[in-house]
Amino acid sequence: MPGFGGAVDEQQAAGVGILLQISMLVLSFVLGHLLRRRKFYYLPEASASLLIGMIVGGFANISNTQKSTRRWFNFREDFFLLFLLPPIIFQSGFNLAPKPFFSNFGAIITFAILGTFIASIVTGLLVYLAGLIFIIYRLPLVECMMFGALVSATDPVTVLSIFQELGTDVNLYALVFGESVLNDAVAISLYRTMASMRTSSSGQNIFLVILRFLENFVGSMSSGVGVGLISALLFKYAELGVENLHNLESCLFVLFPYFSYMLAEGLGLSGIVSILFTGIVMKRYTFYNLSEDSQRFTARFFHLLSSLAEAFIFIYMGFDIAMERQSWSHIGFIFFSIVFILVARAANVFSCAYILNLARPPNSQIPREYQLALWYSGLRGAMAFALALQSVHDLPDGHGETIFTATTSIVVLTVLLIGGSTGTMLEALQVVGDSNRYRHPYEENFEGSSEEGTPSKSKFQLKLRDLRRSTSSFALLDRNYLTPIFTSQHEDDDDDDDNDDDSSGEVLGIPRPSA
């Protein structure tokens, strides 16, 4: 029976493909552990996983490997966006340390939203202008903006792991971590907005682009916050913490993030933005309505899921880079794209830091060393790669292939070279273990506020400082109203925030950044 024989061959090929994937995952975790023990920071875990995938993919590409086996390694953006990315994004929101995150919330939002928008526009315009003067391959303006949006998605997994190992200031860690988490959500919203502008018949109005982006982002954020608050109320009043309902409690908790993601996608919004804010809200409120056993299980479960997904993504990505046909006919486009993203990242970080420092007293401003660390930590990773792969289907005439090859080169260069030199960079900037130079934004009780009425302070600066003060009022709103409404164990939460974060890190074996 020839059909039966073909099915057996297909099943055997599937088994070989899955076995190879598991073997590479095991090798990645073991190698990463050995590198950490030896404190060899020149090859971080993400870089090692990417290299393992590229090496195995290279051997598979030059060998006579069956196509049915190779098919199991095709990087499919739908699989990435629906199955691999959600646990990583949720864990990012769930693992945010509330105190440094919310005390730097204004700065994080500025870098993530305004900064990403600046980086996207600057990259797109530079690519378009370079094409106009025939320095590089010319693309239409909207496609340049799509490229600017997708390549603005940062993924500093490598940098953050080294930050943890070396012990940088918690405020610097919060800025890099918070900006990178929100940055992915902003970048994918921008890309989808630009893609919809390309296919629509209406004019390319910049105000319409901004309006659509804000509509998508705010709608997705509202969806995620709403699901998180509903889950908090459910666990507060359903009384699932009794001994014989622990499994039900944990199962429901695990299902809510995916419900948030799929709800947003079903409404035409961004599931990434939604699940991120669901993670933040569920950690702040829902988590404290769980029993202690369920708290320990869910914390371990999401950390395990996220670690597996991250390692698999970099292996998967490296394998696909080696296997995929690249369009190397436009080397100039690739070279100048790398230069342009460095310029755009600098425009992002230094302009936003300048605006933020206008609103801060001199003793709590973001130092230039921290700004350089933020600029250097803008690695590109899986999100940029997935959106570039999507552009192959979205753009005609080989434009998508050109963008994909350029993005692939940027990902490999930043993850391997910049990621591997992060430790040296931190030591050169003298920010390792540096916890005193950058004061907590809200610890100084505004000693310098008496100077704000002087004529030397512009109205713009005064408005910025008023806006910064309003962020601290959210902490009062949370303490006095939101926490009592949505949690049943709120009495000691404020005193135990730091202990909760530290203890959760100890449970999971995650080294906390030193304060």
Side-chain angles (χ1 to χ4, degrees):
M1 297 178 65
F4 180 75
V8 171
D9 291 341
E10 181 70 21
Q11 185 177 3
Q12 183 180 7
V16 172
I18 294 173
L19 176 62
L20 190 56
Q21 291 173 0
I22 294 174
S23 302
M24 288 192 291
L25 276 173
V26 171
L27 178 60
S28 172
F29 281 117
V30 171
L31 181 59
H33 173 68
L34 292 175
L35 291 172
R36 254 199 329 268
R37 284 187 60 184
R38 300 291 188 276
K39 296 185 178 181
F40 186 79
Y41 301 126
Y42 297 104
L43 188 65
E45 288 180 77
S47 304
S49 299
L50 185 70
L51 277 178
I52 289 171
M54 292 177 66
I55 292 170
V56 176
F59 280 119
N61 202 22
I62 61 177
S63 66
N64 295 323
T65 306
Q66 296 182 24
K67 291 184 178 180
S68 54
T69 303
R70 294 169 63 175
R71 182 169 58 84
W72 282 86
F73 289 93
N74 291 334
F75 192 100
R76 298 188 297 274
E77 60 274 12
D78 55 346
F79 177 68
F80 168 76
L81 291 172
L82 292 177
F83 296 101
L84 294 179
L85 192 60
I88 296 175
I89 298 297
F90 178 79
Q91 173 68 7
S92 298
F94 191 75
N95 202 40
L96 283 174
K99 200 168 185 179
F101 177 77
F102 284 107
S103 63
N104 291 284
F105 188 70
I108 290 170
I109 287 292
T110 302
F111 282 118
I113 297 181
L114 177 61
T116 304
F117 193 80
I118 290 173
S120 175
I121 297 299
V122 169
T123 303
L125 287 177
L126 287 176
V127 171
Y128 180 69
L129 292 175
L132 282 182
I133 58 178
F134 303 105
I135 294 179
I136 63 173
Y137 183 62
R138 183 174 178 179
L139 295 175
L141 179 61
V142 177
E143 296 181 9
C144 291
M145 293 300 173
M146 290 173 65
F147 175 63
L150 71 88
V151 85
S152 297
T154 60
D155 186 10
V157 174
T158 301
V159 173
L160 290 174
S161 65
I162 297 175
F163 275 23
Q164 288 181 326
E165 293 288 337
L166 296 179
T168 57
D169 177 36
V170 290
N171 291 293
L172 175 60
Y173 185 91
L175 285 175
V176 175
F177 184 51
E179 186 244 351
S180 67
V181 169
L182 293 174
N183 164 274
D184 280 350
V186 174
I188 194 170
S189 296
L190 273 175
Y191 177 84
R192 290 179 175 177
T193 303
M194 297 296 180
S196 66
M197 290 293 294
R198 178 185 170 274
T199 56
S200 65
S201 56
S202 59
Q204 299 168 6
N205 191 321
I206 184 64
F207 296 105
L208 183 60
V209 172
I210 296 174
L211 182 62
R212 287 186 179 179
F213 163 72
L214 291 176
E215 178 186 5
N216 184 283
F217 187 84
V218 174
S220 305
M221 180 179 66
S222 303
S223 170
V225 171
V227 171
L229 294 178
I230 290 171
S231 71
L233 291 175
L234 172 67
F235 283 97
K236 179 178 180 179
Y237 293 108
E239 297 181 354
L240 299 174
V242 296
E243 188 172 346
N244 59 339
L245 292 179
H246 286 167
N247 287 341
L248 174 61
E249 187 181 39
S250 300
C251 288
L252 285 174
F253 191 90
V254 169
L255 288 175
F256 263 100
Y258 234 93
F259 175 79
S260 170
Y261 187 90
M262 292 305 174
L263 175 65
E265 291 292 327
L267 294 174
L269 301 171
S270 172
I272 293 173
V273 180
S274 181
I275 199 172
L276 168 65
F277 283 94
T278 299
I280 295 173
V281 172
M282 289 185 72
K283 177 59 181 293
R284 181 62 182 163
Y285 304 114
T286 313
F287 185 74
Y288 296 105
N289 294 330
L290 300 178
S291 63
E292 291 185 4
D293 288 342
S294 295
Q295 285 183 359
R296 285 192 292 269
F297 170 77
T298 52
R300 289 191 180 104
F301 177 79
F302 282 114
H303 178 67
L304 169 67
L305 211 59
S306 175
S307 299
L308 284 171
E310 280 181 359
F312 188 72
I313 282 173
F314 279 96
I315 291 172
Y316 203 34
M317 189 164 53
F319 196 95
D320 197 74
I321 287 172
M323 300 285 286
E324 192 79 19
R325 288 195 310 168
Q326 308 290 339
S327 176
W328 298 107
S329 56
H330 304 292
I331 299 295
F333 186 91
I334 298 170
F335 173 77
F336 281 101
S337 294
I338 295 172
V339 175
F340 292 157
I341 66 164
L342 295 175
V343 174
R345 179 70 180 171
N348 166 359
V349 171
F350 297 120
S351 62
C352 289
Y354 176 76
I355 295 172
L356 290 166
N357 284 339
L358 287 177
R360 294 176 175 226
N363 56 0
S364 66
Q365 297 201 348
I366 303 174
R368 181 52 59 96
E369 293 85 354
Y370 286 19
Q371 296 176 35
L372 289 171
L374 273 167
W375 172 73
Y376 200 84
S377 62
L379 281 70
R380 272 58 177 181
M383 178 59 71
F385 184 82
L387 292 177
L389 199 58
Q390 179 64 42
S391 72
V392 175
H393 307 295
D394 292 341
L395 302 180
D397 305 324
H399 294 178
E401 284 81 359
T402 301
I403 287 176
F404 177 74
T405 302
T407 306
T408 298
S409 304
I410 291 168
V411 168
V412 173
L413 179 70
T414 56
V415 170
L416 294 182
L417 295 185
I418 297 181
S421 59
T422 300
T424 305
M425 177 272 298
L426 291 176
E427 293 174 354
L429 293 177
Q430 298 180 347
V431 296
V432 175
D434 188 10
S435 59
N436 297 316
R437 188 182 336 176
Y438 174 35
R439 291 193 61 185
H440 194 290
Y442 303 110
E443 283 178 354
E444 70 280 342
N445 293 321
F446 304 102
E447 298 102 336
S449 60
S450 60
E451 301 176 0
E452 293 181 3
T454 62
S456 61
K457 300 294 180 182
S458 67
K459 292 182 179 180
F460 179 65
Q461 286 177 285
L462 295 179
K463 287 181 179 179
L464 285 175
R465 294 195 175 184
D466 289 340
L467 181 64
R468 187 172 74 90
R469 283 199 191 95
S470 68
T471 308
S472 60
S473 65
F474 174 78
L476 296 176
L477 174 68
D478 173 62
R479 185 184 307 120
N480 296 331
Y481 298 100
L482 297 180
T483 300
I485 291 173
F486 292 104
T487 67
S488 56
Q489 303 174 19
H490 61 274
E491 292 86 356
D492 300 322
D493 281 355
D494 292 324
D495 297 331
D496 296 341
D497 271 348
D498 295 331
N499 295 333
D500 289 337
D501 295 327
D502 293 339
S503 62
S504 64
E506 291 169 4
V507 166
L508 301 177
I510 309 171
R512 302 291 303 168
S514 62

